[in-house]
Amino acid sequence: MVEKLREHIQKRVPLTDDEFAFVLAHFTLKTYKKHQFLIQEGEPVRYAYFVISGLLKLVYTDEAGKQHIVSFAMEDWWETDFQAFFAQSTATLSVECLEDTVVFCLSLENYHKLCDGLQKFERFFLQLTIAGSIAAQRRILSLLTTKAKERYEQLLNQYPTLIQRVPKALLASYLGVSRETLSRFTD
Amino acid sequence: MVEKLREHIQKRVPLTDDEFAFVLAHFTLKTYKKHQFLIQEGEPVRYAYFVISGLLKLVYTDEAGKQHIVSFAMEDWWETDFQAFFAQSTATLSVECLEDTVVFCLSLENYHKLCDGLQKFERFFLQLTIAGSIAAQRRILSLLTTKAKERYEQLLNQYPTLIQRVPKALLASYLGVSRETLSRFTD
DNA sequence: TGATTAGTGTGATATACATCACGCCATAAT
DNA sequence: ATTATGGCGTGATGTATATCACACTAATCA
């Protein structure tokens, strides 16, 4: 539980026991059941979440009521509506459990305290954000350059476990293709 | 010139004169002509660039030799192949001038020195990266949820000046649509 | 200045993909 | 046990967009 968070941070910056204790004190642990919402559109976004176990989806619902998957979050991933979290405004996205899920919650206030109190944490978070930003750019490129079938195959290679845990309709939505079209990709 | 960089950083974190002098000492100024490359695919990426004036494009060339615009960079924007810059590996993207362009160059070595020597700079860069990451997510959503014509209209509203400075074929590439289709959008 | 090239528009045709409609099974709820 | 419900596949049809081909104009250059 606690070790997962420590390992995750230490992949990027080393921490002493004391430093990690300081970090840990700023998180709270929560458990959610499948179908529960961590963030609902229109409501304030109180936390950024680090996933210990389980699976989340980050979703945008368009005017027509159609859902679009912005991202999934498995073990070791962070998830929240970052725009609303940092601006302390209400969510335009929602976060829902696809499985029973355990998360560490970090409030914006505690995020600031962590960054002020431990420079290493800020550096960790910067590295994390840079990596996320690069990944987002790759996804944009893949949307620009490849057909849906190719994107699906890339996803199969990159996250083979995800495919088994997520209904295909949601994978389709993540890839920007209809579930019917994705269903024909085994051809 | 120098003031542009200072204003840009101070939008996010305040700086004393001394602090800014320290920051500035880590940048070098360079001037490029239209059609020159700042970064070429396959070559090492020595700098991240802050644009003082002019206009850059960040481009990916696919196996078929077709170019795809990852992003444009106008005044006050940063541009580089971040993946390659931080990993100190060779570029998979290239950066080329669409106009005569003046940039401040920051090497990775100096980036680290800046972060180590002035925590405020690291905070500034984190905020910048967070904003970039959120913007990338918005672009992904717009690619997932909207038709090309709508994306074009959104771009017109968001960056009206860009449209006048950039050939439509490049806008089309940025939007993920063929130039012929984009050309029919005035209907 | 005349020639080349870049930028743009537009018709005809092809295609990837969406949408609608239906049926089938497995799981969950009553 | 029976009924809903969710997940998945598949045919038929429609549409947004790609691709190919060509022409026209405005820059750029020799």
Side-chain angles (χ1 to χ4, degrees):
Chain A
M1 224 75 160
V2 161
E3 284 310 308
K4 279 219 167 189
L5 179 60
R6 183 163 189 174
E7 282 309 309
H8 171 68
I9 298 175
Q10 290 200 338
K11 254 184 263 171
R12 301 181 184 275
V13 300
L15 290 180
T16 66
D17 287 357
D18 280 358
E19 284 168 342
F20 179 64
F22 177 75
V23 168
L24 191 58
H26 292 80
F27 285 83
T28 57
L29 194 65
K30 280 197 195 163
T31 300
Y32 292 90
K33 293 238 165 267
K34 186 171 174 173
H35 296 129
Q36 279 194 297
F37 284 81
L38 282 69
I39 293 174
Q40 266 183 295
E41 193 191 325
E43 302 202 350
V45 175
R46 301 176 56 205
Y47 302 104
Y49 301 96
F50 174 74
V51 180
I52 298 292
S53 67
L55 182 57
L56 305 174
K57 63 172 178 180
L58 179 64
V59 173
Y60 170 73
T61 307
D62 67 22
E63 322 76 49
K66 198 169 160 187
Q67 297 208 150
H68 303 268
I69 303 285
V70 179
S71 66
F72 299 103
M74 309 194 284
E75 295 80 4
D76 274 27
W77 283 83
W78 290 80
E79 195 73 285
T80 192
D81 179 337
F82 281 102
Q83 156 85 58
F85 175 71
F86 283 109
Q88 289 291 85
S89 54
T90 57
T92 56
L93 307 173
S94 60
V95 174
E96 186 182 348
C97 295
L98 297 178
E99 304 172 355
D100 295 357
T101 301
V102 179
V103 292
F104 271 122
C105 310
L106 179 64
S107 69
L108 185 63
E109 193 189 345
N110 277 342
Y111 164 80
H112 286 309
K113 283 183 185 165
L114 261 176
C115 288
D116 290 341
L118 182 65
Q119 196 179 349
K120 278 185 188 175
F121 183 82
E122 190 161 31
R123 179 153 303 182
F124 154 77
F125 203 79
L126 172 53
Q127 289 182 22
L128 188 78
T129 307
I130 289 172
S133 192
I134 290 169
Q137 203 174 73
R138 256 203 300 277
R139 179 144 168 236
I140 288 170
L141 260 181
S142 124
L143 288 167
L144 289 180
T145 61
T146 64
K147 307 253 179 252
K149 183 169 186 179
E150 200 177 331
R151 295 202 293 279
Y152 181 53
E153 282 156 4
Q154 282 172 6
L155 190 68
L156 283 176
N157 290 330
Q158 229 187 330
Y159 301 106
T161 62
L162 197 67
I163 278 73
Q164 275 121 37
R165 291 165 72 178
V166 175
K168 303 220 168 158
L170 295 185
L171 293 179
S173 166
Y174 175 83
L175 293 169
V177 74
S178 72
R179 65 154 205 91
E180 292 94 332
T181 297
L182 183 130
S183 156
R184 289 182 244 257
F185 282 165
T186 31
D187 310 342
Chain B
M1 223 77 157
V2 160
E3 284 310 307
K4 279 217 165 187
L5 179 60
R6 182 162 189 173
E7 281 310 309
H8 171 67
I9 297 174
Q10 289 200 338
K11 255 185 261 170
R12 301 182 184 275
V13 301
L15 290 181
T16 67
D17 287 356
D18 280 358
E19 284 168 343
F20 179 64
F22 177 74
V23 168
L24 191 58
H26 292 80
F27 285 83
T28 57
L29 194 65
K30 279 197 196 163
T31 299
Y32 292 90
K33 293 239 164 266
K34 186 170 174 174
H35 296 130
Q36 279 193 297
F37 285 81
L38 282 69
I39 293 174
Q40 265 183 293
E41 193 191 326
E43 302 201 351
V45 176
R46 301 176 57 204
Y47 301 105
Y49 300 97
F50 175 73
V51 180
I52 298 293
S53 66
L55 182 57
L56 305 174
K57 64 173 178 180
L58 179 64
V59 173
Y60 170 73
T61 306
D62 67 22
E63 321 77 49
K66 198 169 159 186
Q67 297 208 152
H68 304 267
I69 303 286
V70 178
S71 66
F72 298 104
M74 308 195 284
E75 293 81 6
D76 275 28
W77 282 84
W78 290 80
E79 195 74 283
T80 193
D81 178 338
F82 282 101
Q83 156 85 59
F85 174 70
F86 283 110
Q88 289 291 85
S89 53
T90 57
T92 56
L93 308 173
S94 60
V95 174
E96 186 182 349
C97 295
L98 297 179
E99 303 172 357
D100 294 357
T101 300
V102 179
V103 292
F104 270 123
C105 309
L106 179 64
S107 69
L108 185 63
E109 192 188 345
N110 278 342
Y111 164 82
H112 285 309
K113 283 183 184 165
L114 262 176
C115 287
D116 290 341
L118 182 66
Q119 196 177 352
K120 277 185 189 174
F121 183 83
E122 189 160 32
R123 180 154 302 181
F124 154 77
F125 202 81
L126 173 54
Q127 288 181 22
L128 188 77
T129 308
I130 288 171
S133 190
I134 290 169
Q137 202 173 74
R138 256 202 302 275
R139 179 143 168 239
I140 288 170
L141 260 181
S142 124
L143 287 168
L144 289 180
T145 62
T146 65
K147 305 253 181 253
K149 183 169 185 179
E150 200 177 332
R151 295 203 294 278
Y152 181 52
E153 282 157 1
Q154 283 172 6
L155 190 68
L156 283 175
N157 290 330
Q158 229 187 330
Y159 302 105
T161 62
L162 198 67
I163 278 73
Q164 277 121 35
R165 292 165 72 180
V166 176
K168 302 219 169 158
L170 296 185
L171 293 179
S173 167
Y174 175 82
L175 292 169
V177 74
S178 72
R179 62 153 206 93
E180 293 94 331
T181 297
L182 182 130
S183 157
R184 290 183 243 258
F185 282 166
T186 31
D187 309 342

